[in-house]
mmCIF file of all heavy atoms in Angstrom:
data_model
loop_
_atom_site.group_PDB
_atom_site.id
_atom_site.type_symbol
_atom_site.label_atom_id
_atom_site.label_comp_id
_atom_site.label_asym_id
_atom_site.label_seq_id
_atom_site.Cartn_x
_atom_site.Cartn_y
_atom_site.Cartn_z
ATOM 1 N N TYR E 24 88.737 91.687 80.650
ATOM 2 C CA TYR E 24 88.468 91.480 82.068
ATOM 3 C C TYR E 24 88.435 92.833 82.763
ATOM 4 O O TYR E 24 89.247 93.718 82.461
ATOM 5 C CB TYR E 24 89.543 90.583 82.685
ATOM 6 C CG TYR E 24 89.461 89.182 82.138
ATOM 7 C CD1 TYR E 24 90.056 88.853 80.923
ATOM 8 C CD2 TYR E 24 88.742 88.211 82.821
ATOM 9 C CE1 TYR E 24 89.946 87.570 80.414
ATOM 10 C CE2 TYR E 24 88.629 86.924 82.311
ATOM 11 C CZ TYR E 24 89.230 86.609 81.107
ATOM 12 O OH TYR E 24 89.106 85.345 80.599
ATOM 13 N N ILE E 25 87.478 92.983 83.660
ATOM 14 C CA ILE E 25 87.373 94.233 84.414
ATOM 15 C C ILE E 25 87.415 93.928 85.906
ATOM 16 O O ILE E 25 86.963 92.876 86.350
ATOM 17 C CB ILE E 25 86.116 95.051 84.038
ATOM 18 C CG1 ILE E 25 84.836 94.268 84.334
ATOM 19 C CG2 ILE E 25 86.182 95.487 82.581
ATOM 20 C CD1 ILE E 25 83.575 95.089 84.112
ATOM 21 N N HIS E 26 87.984 94.876 86.633
ATOM 22 C CA HIS E 26 88.152 94.708 88.081
ATOM 23 C C HIS E 26 87.928 96.065 88.748
ATOM 24 O O HIS E 26 88.657 97.020 88.467
ATOM 25 C CB HIS E 26 89.564 94.198 88.368
ATOM 26 C CG HIS E 26 89.894 94.118 89.818
ATOM 27 N ND1 HIS E 26 89.373 93.166 90.654
ATOM 28 C CD2 HIS E 26 90.697 94.892 90.585
ATOM 29 C CE1 HIS E 26 89.852 93.336 91.873
ATOM 30 N NE2 HIS E 26 90.652 94.383 91.860
ATOM 31 N N ALA E 27 86.901 96.146 89.587
ATOM 32 C CA ALA E 27 86.633 97.383 90.323
ATOM 33 C C ALA E 27 87.592 97.483 91.505
ATOM 34 O O ALA E 27 87.811 96.513 92.220
ATOM 35 C CB ALA E 27 85.195 97.400 90.813
ATOM 36 N N GLN E 28 88.161 98.675 91.659
ATOM 37 C CA GLN E 28 89.134 98.883 92.735
ATOM 38 C C GLN E 28 89.106 100.329 93.181
ATOM 39 O O GLN E 28 89.370 101.224 92.389
ATOM 40 C CB GLN E 28 90.526 98.532 92.227
ATOM 41 C CG GLN E 28 91.636 98.842 93.209
ATOM 42 C CD GLN E 28 92.993 98.629 92.581
ATOM 43 O OE1 GLN E 28 93.267 97.586 92.051
ATOM 44 N NE2 GLN E 28 93.822 99.651 92.638
ATOM 45 N N THR E 29 88.774 100.568 94.390
ATOM 46 C CA THR E 29 88.859 101.856 95.067
ATOM 47 C C THR E 29 88.676 103.063 94.145
ATOM 48 O O THR E 29 89.623 103.769 93.836
ATOM 49 C CB THR E 29 90.195 101.984 95.817
ATOM 50 O OG1 THR E 29 90.515 100.743 96.416
ATOM 51 C CG2 THR E 29 90.107 103.051 96.886
ATOM 52 N N ARG E 31 87.925 103.269 90.942
ATOM 53 C CA ARG E 31 88.200 103.152 89.510
ATOM 54 C C ARG E 31 88.019 101.712 89.081
ATOM 55 O O ARG E 31 87.907 100.804 89.895
ATOM 56 C CB ARG E 31 89.604 103.640 89.178
ATOM 57 C CG ARG E 31 90.694 102.821 89.804
ATOM 58 C CD ARG E 31 92.051 103.394 89.495
ATOM 59 N NE ARG E 31 93.045 102.643 90.247
ATOM 60 C CZ ARG E 31 94.309 102.658 89.999
ATOM 61 N NH1 ARG E 31 94.779 103.399 89.037
ATOM 62 N NH2 ARG E 31 95.146 101.947 90.718
ATOM 63 N N VAL E 32 87.981 101.522 87.785
ATOM 64 C CA VAL E 32 87.844 100.180 87.218
ATOM 65 C C VAL E 32 89.055 99.929 86.326
ATOM 66 O O VAL E 32 89.420 100.773 85.506
ATOM 67 C CB VAL E 32 86.538 100.049 86.403
ATOM 68 C CG1 VAL E 32 86.443 98.676 85.754
ATOM 69 C CG2 VAL E 32 85.326 100.299 87.296
ATOM 70 N N LEU E 33 89.692 98.778 86.535
ATOM 71 C CA LEU E 33 90.829 98.381 85.708
ATOM 72 C C LEU E 33 90.320 97.480 84.604
ATOM 73 O O LEU E 33 89.539 96.555 84.850
ATOM 74 C CB LEU E 33 91.855 97.627 86.549
ATOM 75 C CG LEU E 33 92.422 98.387 87.735
ATOM 76 C CD1 LEU E 33 93.271 97.460 88.593
ATOM 77 C CD2 LEU E 33 93.235 99.560 87.275
ATOM 78 N N LEU E 34 90.758 97.719 83.385
ATOM 79 C CA LEU E 34 90.385 96.903 82.237
ATOM 80 C C LEU E 34 91.648 96.257 81.689
ATOM 81 O O LEU E 34 92.655 96.947 81.490
ATOM 82 C CB LEU E 34 89.778 97.768 81.128
ATOM 83 C CG LEU E 34 88.500 98.517 81.447
ATOM 84 C CD1 LEU E 34 88.799 99.856 82.048
ATOM 85 C CD2 LEU E 34 87.682 98.682 80.192
ATOM 86 N N THR E 35 91.594 94.958 81.455
ATOM 87 C CA THR E 35 92.742 94.269 80.870
ATOM 88 C C THR E 35 92.272 93.306 79.797
ATOM 89 O O THR E 35 91.193 92.725 79.880
ATOM 90 C CB THR E 35 93.556 93.477 81.919
ATOM 91 O OG1 THR E 35 92.701 92.551 82.589
ATOM 92 C CG2 THR E 35 94.206 94.398 82.936
ATOM 93 N N VAL E 53 81.138 100.274 86.829
ATOM 94 C CA VAL E 53 81.328 98.963 86.199
ATOM 95 C C VAL E 53 80.215 98.715 85.189
ATOM 96 O O VAL E 53 80.464 98.243 84.071
ATOM 97 C CB VAL E 53 81.362 97.838 87.272
ATOM 98 C CG1 VAL E 53 81.297 96.462 86.633
ATOM 99 C CG2 VAL E 53 82.595 97.974 88.139
ATOM 100 N N HIS E 68 84.358 89.935 81.243
ATOM 101 C CA HIS E 68 84.423 89.001 82.356
ATOM 102 C C HIS E 68 84.973 89.732 83.572
ATOM 103 O O HIS E 68 85.702 90.708 83.446
ATOM 104 C CB HIS E 68 85.368 87.824 82.032
ATOM 105 C CG HIS E 68 85.091 87.193 80.712
ATOM 106 N ND1 HIS E 68 84.100 86.267 80.520
ATOM 107 C CD2 HIS E 68 85.685 87.377 79.504
ATOM 108 C CE1 HIS E 68 84.099 85.885 79.251
ATOM 109 N NE2 HIS E 68 85.052 86.544 78.614
ATOM 110 N N GLU E 69 84.627 89.217 84.768
ATOM 111 C CA GLU E 69 85.232 89.756 85.982
ATOM 112 C C GLU E 69 86.614 89.156 86.133
ATOM 113 O O GLU E 69 86.809 87.957 85.940
ATOM 114 C CB GLU E 69 84.403 89.387 87.211
ATOM 115 C CG GLU E 69 83.270 90.331 87.477
ATOM 116 C CD GLU E 69 82.636 90.084 88.823
ATOM 117 O OE1 GLU E 69 83.370 89.844 89.803
ATOM 118 O OE2 GLU E 69 81.399 90.114 88.872
ATOM 119 N N GLY E 70 87.551 89.991 86.460
ATOM 120 C CA GLY E 70 88.908 89.509 86.668
ATOM 121 C C GLY E 70 89.922 90.531 86.222
ATOM 122 O O GLY E 70 89.582 91.669 85.899
ATOM 123 N N LEU E 71 91.166 90.097 86.199
ATOM 124 C CA LEU E 71 92.252 91.009 85.883
ATOM 125 C C LEU E 71 93.463 90.211 85.431
ATOM 126 O O LEU E 71 93.902 89.303 86.133
ATOM 127 C CB LEU E 71 92.611 91.809 87.149
ATOM 128 C CG LEU E 71 93.685 92.861 87.065
ATOM 129 C CD1 LEU E 71 93.217 94.036 86.217
ATOM 130 C CD2 LEU E 71 94.026 93.348 88.459
ATOM 131 N N TRP E 72 93.949 90.523 84.252
ATOM 132 C CA TRP E 72 95.222 89.939 83.841
ATOM 133 C C TRP E 72 96.301 90.574 84.702
ATOM 134 O O TRP E 72 96.302 91.774 84.933
ATOM 135 C CB TRP E 72 95.508 90.261 82.373
ATOM 136 C CG TRP E 72 94.845 89.355 81.398
ATOM 137 C CD1 TRP E 72 93.644 89.557 80.792
ATOM 138 C CD2 TRP E 72 95.334 88.110 80.907
ATOM 139 N NE1 TRP E 72 93.360 88.509 79.965
ATOM 140 C CE2 TRP E 72 94.389 87.600 80.008
ATOM 141 C CE3 TRP E 72 96.491 87.363 81.153
ATOM 142 C CZ2 TRP E 72 94.551 86.399 79.348
ATOM 143 C CZ3 TRP E 72 96.656 86.173 80.493
ATOM 144 C CH2 TRP E 72 95.695 85.696 79.601
ATOM 145 N N GLU E 79 99.078 98.909 88.728
ATOM 146 C CA GLU E 79 97.668 99.260 88.834
ATOM 147 C C GLU E 79 96.946 98.459 89.911
ATOM 148 O O GLU E 79 95.911 98.869 90.394
ATOM 149 C CB GLU E 79 96.946 99.031 87.498
ATOM 150 C CG GLU E 79 97.229 100.087 86.471
ATOM 151 C CD GLU E 79 98.533 99.843 85.735
ATOM 152 O OE1 GLU E 79 99.178 98.807 85.964
ATOM 153 O OE2 GLU E 79 98.918 100.681 84.928
ATOM 154 N N ILE E 80 97.472 97.296 90.255
ATOM 155 C CA ILE E 80 96.801 96.427 91.206
ATOM 156 C C ILE E 80 97.003 96.898 92.641
ATOM 157 O O ILE E 80 96.195 96.637 93.510
ATOM 158 C CB ILE E 80 97.294 94.976 91.038
ATOM 159 C CG1 ILE E 80 96.918 94.487 89.646
ATOM 160 C CG2 ILE E 80 96.697 94.053 92.090
ATOM 161 C CD1 ILE E 80 97.531 93.164 89.281
#
Side-chain angles (χ1 to χ4, degrees):
Y24 293 83
I25 61 174
H26 174 73
Q28 174 187 307
T29 320
R31 64 183 174 164
V32 177
L33 301 172
L34 298 88
T35 56
V53 169
H68 310 279
E69 275 190 42
L71 182 69
W72 277 94
E79 284 82 4
I80 297 171

